[in-house]
Amino acid sequence: MTIKRYQYTITGVVQGVGFRPFIYRLAVEHNLTGLVYNAASGVHIEVQGEAASLVAFDEDIVSQLPPLAKVVSCLREDMALASCEKSFVIEKSFSRAGHSVFISPDVAICSQCLSDITSPENRRYQYSFTNCTNCGPRYTITRSIPYDRPKTSMACFPLCPACQKEYDDPLDRRFHAQPNACPGCGPELWATDKQGQDLAKNDKAIQYTVQCLHEGKTAAVKGLGGFHLVCDATSETAVSALRRAKQRKAKPLAVMIPDMETAHKIAHINKAEEHWLTGNKRPIVLCEKKNSDFPAPCVAPDTGTIGLMLPYTPLHFLLFSHYQALCEDRLPVLVMTSGNFSSEPISLGNREALERLHSLADVFLLHNRDILIRCDDSVVQILEKKSSPEKKDTTQFLRRARGFTPAPVFLSQKGPSVLALGAELKSTMCFTKEDKAFVSQHIGDLENLETFGFYKEIKSHLQDILQVNPVAVVCDKHPDYMSTAYAGELGLALYKLQHHVAHTYAVMAENKFDGACIGVSLDGTGYGEDNTLWGGEVLLVDNEALTHSRMAQFLAIPLPGGEAAIREPWRIAQSFLHRLGHLEPEGRPWPWLEHGAEASSLVTQALKRDINAPLSSSCGRLFDAVSAMLGLVHEISYEAQAAVLLEAIQDKAETYAYTFPVLEQGDMFVFNSLELFTQVYEDWKKGVHAGVISRRFHLGLIQGLARAVCRFSGQTGIKHTGLSGGVMLNKTIATLLPEAIVRAGGIPLTHSLLPPGDGSISLGQALYGMRKVQAGG
Ligand code: ZN
Ligand code: ZN
Ligand code: FE
């Protein structure tokens, strides 16, 4: 019999996820002695015993890993035998800077906890704050590391003897579960009216709330990462009232349904979508609606898709179990939208919610477990790849937050720690640490002061839980962004990176691609290097040489009225017509004239005299122009609405594609958007159906881009093409463009870990900053 001793150092998500008790159980099972503890470098294990048992132990670490644990590296070394060791023990945690363990994202309730709260004999029956080492809140209740109860918002709830016993027992599912609680010792739930008057407690509070929802009222419900505004999604009256109060005219609202059975009644759901809906991260998943008028027409009026989400906290499950009991007359579908006014961050504290949301909600369902950092629901969509060789569906993020943050994006190499501040809209920030990039949750639009406050909160929170000291900061080149001004205040070495170059860096970083790449940035707006607005660019980016140049752009078109043209896309359509020499309607009147001819003639004057009409090569603005030309939208009420409507209207049976030629202009190429627009205009004049025109436009854009990429690839010998920018959220472009590039012999790189829009800018900036520091500035 050979006795051996090994030591392991394991890094990754191995704290607060039941990792040490898991090791303890394995060691006991295999008759091994030794110890396990959390060290600065990761989880440290020493095991001693018979060689065969050690082999089995080694295999079981990998094959039986607890659901939330993620091993990044596992180093095993031989050790000298210890004498007189009788048992296996879990030793106390060490707390030191420079740790290599990460805080887990928040996780949906597990099946065992769900069974606890639904079993009448269980002491946690109907208890809203039930969790264990396999599930529950993490990131949003943690103040700093190491992840121990005193460092979380559970610090003010001393454990009762029964909970303490679970907490101390290595064989219990709740061993060292920091948020462990029960009705005897944990947080409480209560309902108030909008004045903050208490109405009911615990399960009575839930009953009261669902009664209000059933009557068509709106509830503000405190969740995991902030408040939700909730109402009956099948009631057009209730949903319209919520929209009016929230000042959210048409932007789609997500709904929560109790189970997959209900989900299937609302939408067509494929395997990949079901996987996300029922998994432990529980993002909102955009699925194809079965009936546009259901649950209520105004839930998502502009698109054929609807955002679905399944319950992820015990409270959600209890809410639905009570609500379903009332719903004999209707399907249990609830709108669940962030508790905020449009453009403000989601509400966090009880008092704050009562102040900010009192005009929005009739009843408040509150509790006393503090949320330490806001985190919205994540949103994903699945791209079905029908004709790609591997035929693997990919996930695309529209918003990355709860369930994902603060899990890192792994980079191709280690580097110095930097802080990247992102862009302005749909902002995120990013800290790097060695070969990991920690991209924050979705923050929102920084032009709003409240959001900027949230932005700064995230900076200090992330820095606390990551224990990093960045040596440099990176921001956008835009001179007026809040983040640009903020970067200057930090007193660190400062780098600025052009917006679309950052987009390309981001998609390269996500794919761990190093070297030279053709970057296709199809975007809304970004401050260009020539002081115009960019957004339809083909760049040559080398992330090793740290060089970039612009190879091609969409033809720059004046935006009459600047910002006003983004709100009123018809101005851009008229700008295209103006450039084409159509100064007034010929035959069919322009759709926007029915809203008054005066504004239109003012735009004509402005274009003639070139007053306040900044040039933009944005691809997003081209979508806006086409959408307005077809009369789909006059004034938008949310970002990208015109493009969303244009995408939704496509007649997918149509196969003809408009031409989208590239012109050579000096040492630059220009995509002739005017020519593309003329074809739209001519067909529109002839009365061709808008769905057909939209399809021809989409296909033309895709074919033109793929052909040009192929040409640039031939000229440069570079095969990889990074596709990034907000337009990549258009499912038609996101699915067909990479396929067209593959057919043309190229290798597309796309986003699958972060949103292709500005949510990934901070990652691109971060990679650039790391490399700049390494190159000596
Ligand atoms: Zn659990
Ligand atoms: Zn207790
Ligand atoms: Fe962008």
Side-chain angles (χ1 to χ4, degrees), residues 39 72 79-80 159 168 170 218 308 330 336 371 377 409 414 416 454 457 603 633 656-657 709 713:
V72 171
M79 274 185 92
L159 290 161
D168 291 334
T218 301
L308 299 180
R330 64 193 94 163
M336 281 264 174
I371 302 166
D377 294 316
V409 172
K414 287 187 181 185
F454 172 35
E457 274 167 32
V603 164
V633 65
Y656 178 75
V709 162
S713 191

Side-chain angles (χ1 to χ4, degrees), residues 74-235:
C74 177
L75 180 72
R76 193 186 76 179
E77 290 158 297
D78 284 315
M79 274 185 92
L81 294 183
S83 54
C84 311
E85 195 175 63
K86 296 250 157 30
S87 61
F88 190 90
V89 291
I90 297 176
E91 290 197 343
K92 255 198 154 349
S93 302
F94 283 65
S95 107
R96 259 193 287 158
H99 72 119
S100 298
V101 285
F102 318 135
I103 303 290
S104 154
D106 300 324
V107 183
I109 182 172
C110 72
S111 54
Q112 285 165 298
C113 287
L114 192 55
S115 130
D116 287 350
I117 65 167
T118 48
S119 311
E121 73 286 355
N122 192 288
R123 69 190 190 93
R124 289 189 175 85
Y125 180 57
Q126 303 228 321
Y127 184 54
S128 300
F129 305 93
T130 302
N131 63 81
C132 72
T133 46
N134 299 325
C135 75
R138 296 288 186 276
Y139 177 59
T140 52
I141 60 159
T142 304
R143 195 166 276 125
S144 66
I145 57 127
Y147 174 66
D148 271 329
R149 194 166 174 109
K151 301 277 176 75
T152 72
S153 62
M154 291 299 290
C156 56
F157 299 100
L159 290 161
C160 70
C163 287
Q164 186 72 49
K165 196 165 161 274
E166 294 166 337
Y167 186 89
D168 291 334
D169 177 3
L171 296 177
D172 194 281
R173 196 172 97 243
R174 298 195 166 92
F175 175 72
H176 281 206
Q178 306 305 344
N180 189 24
C182 76
C185 67
E188 281 187 315
L189 199 64
W190 69 94
T192 78
D193 61 14
K194 55 175 76 183
Q195 277 76 41
Q197 285 303 326
D198 286 3
L199 300 167
K201 272 194 142 184
N202 297 323
D203 44 330
K204 295 260 171 7
I206 299 180
Q207 275 162 19
Y208 184 86
T209 307
V210 299
Q211 190 61 49
C212 291
L213 292 172
H214 193 255
E215 286 162 14
K217 292 178 178 158
T218 301
V221 176
K222 188 171 179 179
L224 212 49
F227 275 78
H228 277 130
L229 289 167
V230 186
C231 75
D232 177 3
T234 66
S235 158

Side-chain angles (χ1 to χ4, degrees), residues 257-498:
I257 59 258
D259 45 38
M260 283 309 295
E261 194 192 323
T262 317
H264 285 298
K265 287 182 184 153
I266 297 175
H268 300 281
I269 295 162
N270 66 28
K271 276 271 159 285
E273 287 157 351
E274 177 160 357
H275 165 82
W276 281 120
L277 283 168
T278 56
N280 69 8
K281 297 183 170 31
R282 301 275 159 116
I284 293 167
V285 185
L286 300 188
C287 301
E288 194 193 328
K289 272 188 270 193
K290 280 198 168 152
N291 176 341
S292 63
D293 291 340
F294 191 76
C298 73
V299 169
D302 291 346
T303 80
T305 61
I306 183 162
L308 299 180
M309 166 168 59
L310 256 58
Y312 54 85
T313 66
L315 177 57
H316 294 149
F317 277 95
L318 297 171
L319 204 63
F320 268 104
S321 82
H322 287 286
Y323 187 58
Q324 272 173 290
L326 300 178
C327 282
E328 279 161 357
D329 54 337
R330 64 193 94 163
L331 213 56
V333 190
L334 294 171
V335 165
M336 281 264 174
T337 183
S338 306
N340 57 359
F341 279 101
S342 302
S343 83
E344 285 184 359
I346 188 167
S347 295
L348 189 74
N350 294 342
R351 208 171 310 140
E352 180 200 341
L354 282 164
E355 265 166 36
R356 283 175 54 199
L357 305 180
H358 78 273
S359 62
L360 297 180
D362 304 297
V363 57
F364 287 75
L365 188 56
L366 307 173
H367 62 70
N368 55 353
R369 183 178 72 195
D370 287 343
I371 302 166
L372 296 181
I373 194 77
R374 285 163 232 269
C375 202
D376 284 88
D377 294 316
S378 295
V379 186
V380 301
Q381 66 182 5
I382 302 299
L383 301 175
E384 278 187 77
K385 301 233 177 109
K386 292 200 180 73
S387 52
S388 81
E390 74 267 37
K391 281 197 182 133
K392 238 182 86 199
D393 293 345
T394 50
T395 299
Q396 202 178 41
F397 281 85
L398 285 87
R399 185 161 79 197
R400 180 183 181 269
R402 178 186 52 75
F404 299 92
T405 320
V409 172
F410 290 90
L411 303 172
S412 66
Q413 295 168 36
K414 287 187 181 185
S417 177
V418 300
L419 164 63
L421 294 177
E424 178 95 334
L425 302 178
K426 296 186 167 36
S427 190
T428 59
M429 69 172 70
C430 173
F431 281 100
T432 66
K433 183 171 181 176
E434 298 181 331
D435 60 346
K436 291 168 270 300
F438 295 88
V439 179
S440 75
Q441 63 268 48
H442 162 87
I443 303 172
D445 300 349
L446 296 187
E447 43 193 20
N448 179 303
L449 258 187
E450 296 220 21
T451 315
F452 191 60
F454 172 35
Y455 181 80
K456 290 192 279 192
E457 274 167 32
I458 288 195
K459 179 185 168 282
S460 51
H461 185 247
L462 268 180
Q463 200 160 0
D464 281 345
I465 64 163
L466 296 172
Q467 304 271 307
V468 281
N469 284 306
V471 296
V473 59
V474 193
C475 67
D476 199 275
K477 276 208 166 155
H478 200 300
D480 303 330
Y481 279 179
M482 295 277 256
S483 50
T484 307
Y486 184 55
E489 294 167 13
L490 295 175
L492 296 170
L494 172 64
Y495 301 107
K496 294 187 178 183
L497 188 61
Q498 196 278 327

